[in-house]
Amino acid sequence: MKYQFPQNFYWGSAASATQTEGEAFQAGKGTNIWDHWYQQEPNRFHNGVSATEASTFYRNYQSDIQLMKDIGHNSFRTSISWSRLIPNGVGEVNREAVEFYSNVIDEQIKQGVQPFICLFHFDMPMAMQEIGGFENREVLDAYANFAETCFKLYGDRVKHWFTFNEPIVPVEGGYLYDFHYPNVVDFKRASTVAFHTMLAHAKAVEKYRALDQDGQIGIILNLTPSYPRSQNPADLKAANICDLMFNRSFLDPAVKGEYPQELVELLKQHDQMPVVEVGDCELIAKGKIDLLGVNYYQPRRVKARENAVHPEAPFMPEHFFDYYEMPGRKMNPHRGWEIYEKGVYDILTNLKDNYGNVPCYISENGMGVEGEEKFLVDGQIQDDYRIDFIKGHLKWLHKGIEEGANCLGYHLWTFIDNWSWCNAYKNRYGFYQLDLKTQKRSVKKSGEWYAGVSKANGFED
Ligand code: BGP
């Protein structure tokens, strides 16, 4: 069967500043929470590898963009590092960084790879974290000013902006589950950071609209469908609470301009509501987006809790559900994540039916593989598993579009194997293999295959 995609479909991949640039302590960049945390606790990073060892995009962006073009990219997302552009979070702008991002954007345009630019991919400047990060409302204004600086510098050339990438992840990692700095475990502080992040988002959207530039602004959300074990009301309730907490907590304000009443009630009932000030709801209403990026890796399967909550345990989302391992689920054994291709269709259908069919694209989807060198044959990684993974998701995406979903593109995570936070280089995701010692990039079989898909604007299977 032939899977043909709409005209001007975005084919490309995604990455982020901190994960690819390198020069973490050079070129005038200020430190961010990753640089700082590594200095404090290098043992928290896989094999003790820090972001200073990221894949040298800062130095090699020109040849890297050429490599994007070689495999048929018509678009590529990266982010602007706040701590590189404005080292202290507020105040002086780093001239070298202004030029660097300008050059990257120009080079992308020159090579026919549209720049999709995100303004925050987990990398809070340390100077801002020191005053409380997104718990402190001053930081919201600092972020909005940073965003405005970017719009003014690059808005003439960048037509696709994203305020945040997976804004729930710093909330989960930093304030609930101990996998990002500042390693706090406190639901109320987490809900405050989540709410404030959306206020910061809305402030940035407001700044963008005021400049009246002819582009689009959106947000990138990791929408993980919550599937219940069964139709038992207790399982359905568990799945609904997950959906409220992990998806709708960001999706509803971003697309509808308001929070789900059910979520507000739930947080009130458990005394976990952030402080809402006069004017906040009006601001959230102004944050409605033009374009939604959807990151999808794996589904969330849940069931009702089996046991009572320990009375002294901190309040957590898991008070309402247990994770459920569905027998017979398809796994990516190299990363330990379930593969469920239909999830992409379910997300698109939900957006079509319940979110006004907001224009969207798949902004991240991908398959991490630990120890990928074992698939090297004659110097090339034979990643047929990744080709199958992409095909499987594209087929469901195609079905979604045929049924009317407003999905405009597909970006893989990621372009070249890159550094990934605490996992550093553990799981490889790229179209290009990276040799950590020499920094040599070698195209994988999937990269060559993707070039053909992009050229044909589809594939046959
Ligand atoms: C996504 C993030 C990316 C990236 C990816 C892979 O959620 O947006 O930044 O890191 O996950 O994650 P990992 O390396 O942990 O498998």
Side-chain angles (χ1 to χ4, degrees), residues 141-421:
D141 291 318
Y143 167 81
N145 286 331
F146 155 65
E148 188 182 38
T149 305
C150 294
F151 304 145
K152 284 184 177 164
L153 285 168
Y154 312 121
D156 55 337
R157 288 159 284 162
V158 174
K159 301 300 168 199
H160 299 92
W161 291 99
F162 300 93
T163 55
F164 286 90
N165 173 76
E166 300 187 351
I168 200 167
V169 169
V171 174
E172 294 174 331
Y175 297 87
L176 286 173
Y177 304 124
D178 181 38
F179 63 89
H180 279 203
Y181 193 80
N183 310 91
V184 168
V185 177
D186 185 324
F187 193 104
K188 200 164 192 169
R189 290 175 68 183
S191 73
T192 300
V193 171
F195 180 51
H196 284 182
T197 304
M198 281 316 283
L199 290 174
H201 155 86
K203 280 174 187 268
V205 170
E206 210 179 13
K207 297 265 191 205
Y208 187 68
R209 307 258 184 252
L211 290 169
D212 203 17
Q213 296 179 333
D214 62 336
Q216 297 189 315
I217 188 157
I219 193 165
I220 288 166
L221 301 179
N222 45 326
L223 297 180
T224 305
S226 311
Y227 297 106
R229 167 183 59 180
S230 75
Q231 294 302 303
N232 184 295
D235 286 345
L236 292 175
K237 186 177 170 198
N240 182 46
I241 290 182
C242 283
D243 195 35
L244 285 168
M245 286 209 184
F246 297 113
N247 295 323
R248 299 187 59 195
S249 51
F250 286 89
L251 181 59
D252 282 44
V255 178
K256 298 183 174 172
E258 60 184 21
Y259 282 90
Q261 203 45 44
E262 238 186 305
L263 177 62
V264 174
E265 292 306 328
L266 185 73
L267 296 192
K268 278 191 181 156
Q269 209 184 327
H270 294 274
D271 192 26
Q272 301 293 336
M273 271 290 282
V275 174
V276 181
E277 293 181 3
V278 178
D280 284 351
C281 295
E282 290 73 13
L283 182 59
I284 293 286
K286 287 186 198 157
K288 285 198 229 171
I289 52 164
D290 307 317
L291 177 63
L292 178 68
V294 175
N295 292 359
Y296 171 65
Y297 288 88
Q298 57 169 344
R300 174 181 270 110
R301 298 193 188 275
V302 296
K303 60 184 178 185
R305 277 189 68 104
E306 309 256 312
N307 300 306
V309 173
H310 191 287
E312 283 167 26
F315 182 78
M316 284 292 203
E318 285 73 6
H319 281 202
F320 301 100
F321 65 91
D322 275 346
Y323 282 101
Y324 169 60
E325 285 191 9
M326 186 181 74
R329 68 202 176 129
K330 178 170 165 186
M331 288 296 289
N332 163 8
H334 317 292
R335 173 69 178 84
W337 281 353
E338 183 181 345
I339 298 177
Y340 186 63
E341 297 94 337
K342 180 172 176 282
V344 91
Y345 170 82
D346 292 340
I347 295 171
L348 294 180
T349 306
N350 179 37
L351 294 176
K352 178 172 64 132
D353 295 346
N354 302 312
Y355 292 87
N357 213 7
V358 58
C360 67
Y361 81 108
I362 302 302
S363 42
E364 281 181 36
N365 175 227
M367 187 173 172
V369 174
E370 189 175 353
E372 199 169 32
E373 317 78 59
K374 60 177 171 277
F375 296 105
L376 258 180
V377 180
D378 294 332
Q380 188 182 49
I381 301 269
Q382 299 298 303
D383 54 346
D384 295 274
Y385 43 83
R386 185 168 286 110
I387 295 174
D388 289 344
F389 179 97
I390 301 172
K391 266 189 198 165
H393 286 84
L394 283 176
K395 286 179 188 175
W396 280 106
L397 194 159
H398 186 266
K399 181 172 158 63
I401 294 176
E402 282 205 317
E403 293 174 15
N406 206 353
C407 181
L408 309 173
Y410 178 88
H411 281 184
L412 187 83
W413 184 269
T414 183
F415 166 51
I416 300 171
D417 294 336
N418 66 26
W419 182 85
S420 190
W421 322 110

Side-chain angles (χ1 to χ4, degrees), residues 30-150:
T31 51
N32 64 31
I33 55 171
W34 296 96
D35 308 317
H36 174 81
W37 189 21
Y38 184 81
Q39 286 171 334
Q40 304 295 309
E41 293 187 279
N43 52 302
R44 294 295 301 262
F45 294 77
H46 182 70
N47 287 343
V49 174
S50 74
T52 52
E53 293 175 57
S55 43
T56 65
F57 187 69
Y58 194 85
R59 268 176 274 155
N60 292 312
Y61 70 90
Q62 276 176 309
S63 46
D64 280 352
I65 295 167
Q66 176 66 50
L67 294 179
M68 291 172 200
K69 194 181 169 192
D70 291 349
I71 57 165
H73 279 32
N74 59 23
S75 44
F76 171 70
R77 167 171 62 104
T78 188
S79 62
I80 292 178
S81 154
W82 182 359
S83 60
R84 185 180 295 290
L85 196 75
I86 306 178
N88 291 318
V90 285
E92 212 175 316
V93 173
N94 171 9
R95 285 290 133 204
E96 197 178 322
V98 170
E99 204 187 313
F100 167 66
Y101 289 115
S102 181
N103 291 342
V104 168
I105 290 162
D106 286 347
E107 189 66 26
Q108 282 195 226
I109 293 169
K110 195 172 115 197
Q111 303 265 15
V113 182
Q114 287 182 65
F116 286 29
I117 301 292
C118 178
L119 297 169
F120 191 99
H121 196 127
F122 308 168
D123 49 357
M124 180 67 82
M126 199 53 212
M128 296 290 94
Q129 192 62 47
E130 272 161 5
I131 59 168
F134 281 132
E135 284 183 87
N136 178 352
R137 283 181 181 245
E138 268 178 49
V139 173
L140 281 52
D141 291 318
Y143 167 81
N145 286 331
F146 155 65
E148 188 182 38
T149 305
C150 294

